[in-house]
């Protein structure tokens, strides 16, 4: 339902232009220290961020929690995803679905939105034709 609000969608055959990690605060709470003073305790989690480009330039990025299996992601790798926009010319990309790196057969993203086997078959057929 997240993507139903967008008018247009398109399949992107792009590449990873940058891979980096960042720490994000997942929650904060106040807690008394040993002296009885309140301090803010933050729970952080490390996320991987991929910048995705196509021949026209940067489309946006996709992020997901860090796991060891993502250490093989590199700049220049091919990546396929679906992008969403409310503009017919896609001059502003408002969302990017989970993405597939066919060279290494790895799916990335925070939540699986696509029916993955069907998407892989569709991408493979599109490339062969």
């Amino acid at each position: 339902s997240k993507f139903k609000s967008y008018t247009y969608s398109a399949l992107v055959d792009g590449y990873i232009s940058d891979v980096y990690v960042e720490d994000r605060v997942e929650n904060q709470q106040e807690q008394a220290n040993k002296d009885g003073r309140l301090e803010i305790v933050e729970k952080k989690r490390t996320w991987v961020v991929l910048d995705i480009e196509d021949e026209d330039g940067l489309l946006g990025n996709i992020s997901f929690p860090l796991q060891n299996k993502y250490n093989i992601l590199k700049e220049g790798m091919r990546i396929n995803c679906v992008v969403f926009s409310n503009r017919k010319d896609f001059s502003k990309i408002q969302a990017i679905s989970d993405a597939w790196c066919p060279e290494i057969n790895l799916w990335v993203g925070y939540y699986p939105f696509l029916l993955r086997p069907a998407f892989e078959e569709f991408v493979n057929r599109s490339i062969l034709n």
Side-chain angles (χ1 to χ4, degrees), residues 33-109:
N33 65 15
K34 64 182 180 181
D35 300 325
R37 294 188 185 137
L38 285 179
E39 56 185 25
I40 295 176
V41 178
E42 296 179 336
K43 180 182 175 191
K44 293 183 180 182
R45 189 171 188 184
T46 304
W47 288 66
V48 178
V49 182
L50 302 180
D51 287 342
I52 300 173
E53 290 189 24
D54 68 1
E55 66 274 355
D56 294 328
L58 182 67
L59 296 171
N61 62 48
I62 188 168
S63 58
F64 41 92
L66 177 64
Q67 294 179 20
N68 286 338
K69 66 181 178 180
Y70 299 130
N71 290 336
I72 60 175
L73 294 167
K74 305 274 186 252
E75 290 179 21
M77 281 186 166
R78 191 169 141 231
I79 194 163
N80 297 102
C81 59
V82 178
V83 296
F84 299 87
S85 179
N86 284 325
R87 295 182 181 184
K88 191 174 188 176
D89 63 358
F90 288 90
S91 58
K92 182 177 181 188
I93 304 296
Q94 287 150 309
I96 298 176
S97 70
D98 42 323
W100 180 49
C101 297
E103 297 168 20
I104 54 177
N105 195 26
L106 180 67
W107 280 92
V108 297

Side-chain angles (χ1 to χ4, degrees), residues 12-24:
V12 170
D13 183 16
Y15 63 93
I16 299 170
S17 61
D18 197 8
V19 180
Y20 54 96
V21 295
E22 62 185 25
D23 288 330
R24 296 183 182 173

